[in-house]
Amino acid sequence: MTGLTGDQLARFQENGYLVVEDVLSAEDLAAIEDEYREILDRVTAGLVSQGRIPPPRGTNFSERYIEAMQHIDDMYTLYQHLDICLPMVKELDHSHTMNTGPAVFHLLTNPRLLDIAESVIGPEIYSNPVQHTRIKPPVRYLPDTVTDSNIAATTWHQDNGVINPEADNTDMLTVWVAVTDATVENGCLIVERGSHRDDLTMHCPGTAASATTYIPEAIIDRDRVVPLEVGAGGVVLLHKLTEHASLANHGESIRWSFDLRYQPIGQPTGRSVFPGFIARSEAHPEQALIDPDEWANLWWNARDRIVSGEVPWQFNTRWNANARLPICA
């Protein structure tokens, strides 16, 4: 196992975050980019045929993604095909989709990522389904009305604050994976150092303008805020109580990352409506999921059960009462 060193683990425990460079290989990143380029080309070809966008002229994924986002009337129509979980909309139906491709599954089960997770949570590792990809165009190409954290800047929050309370005692670790360089200019993560020692912070519920649950900026200790720049292929580890956000992308191309989360097997995920899986087990290695098609089927079967009403379609509501507070207005 090539996990964290003792010094790295101590710094993570002290600060609530850790930047680890050069975790994924160039081949790992290329596989992800190839899979996403194929999806983008397929979806944009359909939009072109419908007359919704002009034919793309860009030569790489970033350029073609930005072009499509500039011209499409509803950018979530495109983004829905690229995220790695089902959208949390009011009413889910069979038209809602996501990316369950093999490159994403191989990212979730990448041995280097699992080694790092094992250093923190132990060898019985469950892939928590609270996961996203965030592909953020430069802010100058976004309408002011777009506030979704998958596309625009991410508001302050704790990962523990956006899941259901039954997982409050779950040892959940966030592994934030940089597909492109993440810099201050293009919208890297920012954290409040040491905030993981302050327990769960009050959040405000999402609004009509933005469904994102957030911590009011006014209660963030700006003296402890640290930007976390990391190169492509590196990762940022976050404690579930670390208060964090991201800056806006003022660069020239996309800023692309994945939010992955791991926890010990048997603990609640905080979003049981979505499927997780055993990614590694020292005690029962035969139980680890190794088939990307089987993983994809878990998600499509979950969608079918939700749409049929077999599974309740409900998410974290613990902060709803805070909507009446002046600080959340």
Side-chain angles (χ1 to χ4, degrees):
M1 185 185 83
T2 309
L4 302 179
T5 66
D7 177 66
Q8 286 175 316
L9 187 58
R11 284 189 280 124
F12 173 72
Q13 293 168 340
E14 172 67 19
N15 295 319
Y17 65 87
L18 180 72
V19 175
V20 186
E21 297 281 8
D22 301 321
V23 175
L24 299 181
S25 68
E27 291 76 15
D28 294 329
L29 296 177
I32 293 167
E33 292 176 12
D34 287 347
E35 182 167 280
Y36 271 78
R37 176 63 179 266
E38 182 178 340
I39 296 169
L40 181 65
D41 287 350
R42 170 173 50 82
V43 176
T44 54
L47 294 171
V48 170
S49 69
Q50 297 167 23
R52 299 178 63 181
I53 63 172
R57 295 179 299 174
T59 60
N60 58 44
F61 179 86
S62 178
E63 291 173 353
R64 293 168 78 91
Y65 180 79
I66 291 171
E67 279 186 71
M69 285 297 198
Q70 283 182 271
H71 291 104
I72 192 169
D73 52 351
D74 179 6
M75 57 186 59
Y76 302 108
T77 299
L78 170 60
Y79 189 78
Q80 188 174 297
H81 293 266
L82 304 175
D83 202 5
I84 59 173
C85 75
L86 291 167
M88 292 183 290
V89 292
K90 287 185 178 180
E91 294 185 9
L92 195 73
D93 60 47
H94 286 106
S95 71
H96 289 110
T97 188
M98 56 175 284
N99 178 22
T100 57
V104 170
F105 177 75
H106 292 311
L107 176 66
L108 288 163
T109 56
N110 183 284
R112 182 74 172 104
L113 295 184
L114 295 181
D115 287 348
I116 289 173
E118 182 171 337
S119 298
V120 180
I121 63 173
E124 306 302 310
I125 303 175
Y126 195 77
S127 175
N128 182 298
V130 183
Q131 58 192 38
H132 293 283
T133 186
R134 306 192 192 274
I135 309 175
K136 305 193 178 191
V139 69
R140 65 181 177 276
Y141 298 127
L142 295 176
D144 292 339
T145 55
V146 174
T147 57
D148 186 282
S149 62
N150 295 320
I151 300 171
T154 305
T155 52
W156 284 99
H157 67 284
Q158 295 164 303
D159 288 338
N160 196 158
V162 299
I163 57 175
N164 291 327
E166 71 263 18
D168 282 352
N169 294 321
T170 293
D171 298 317
M172 184 176 70
L173 172 71
T174 294
V175 179
W176 190 95
V177 180
V179 180
T180 60
D181 291 346
T183 65
V184 168
E185 181 184 31
N186 75 2
C188 68
L189 287 178
I190 51 176
V191 300
E192 184 178 326
R193 184 177 54 245
S195 54
H196 65 302
R197 295 192 292 271
D198 297 334
D199 296 323
L200 190 60
T201 302
M202 184 275 285
H203 288 60
C204 295
T207 64
S210 172
T212 304
T213 301
Y214 67 97
I215 299 172
E217 186 99 25
I219 63 176
I220 298 296
D221 183 353
R222 302 302 304 190
D223 290 336
R224 293 197 291 170
V225 171
V226 179
L228 302 182
E229 295 189 312
V230 60
V235 303
V236 177
L237 307 184
L238 295 173
H239 188 280
K240 67 177 183 178
L241 291 174
T242 299
E243 296 172 359
H244 62 284
S246 79
L247 300 170
N249 181 359
H250 293 286
E252 297 298 321
S253 57
I254 61 170
R255 196 275 277 159
W256 185 0
S257 63
F258 286 89
D259 292 1
L260 311 181
R261 294 178 177 88
Y262 302 97
Q263 63 180 68
I265 297 168
Q267 296 182 354
T269 66
R271 199 166 290 170
S272 59
V273 69
F274 288 162
F277 66 91
I278 295 174
R280 173 180 286 180
S281 173
E282 183 178 278
H284 299 283
E286 74 282 357
Q287 295 181 2
L289 187 65
I290 59 174
D291 183 353
D293 291 334
E294 186 176 346
W295 171 71
N297 287 334
L298 290 174
W299 278 96
W300 302 126
N301 290 338
R303 185 188 64 179
D304 292 344
R305 292 196 300 272
I306 293 165
V307 173
S308 70
E310 181 182 343
V311 176
W313 184 236
Q314 183 177 358
F315 296 103
N316 181 17
T317 60
R318 75 163 108 197
W319 307 113
N320 284 3
N322 290 346
R324 297 187 294 269
L325 298 177
I327 198 170
C328 292

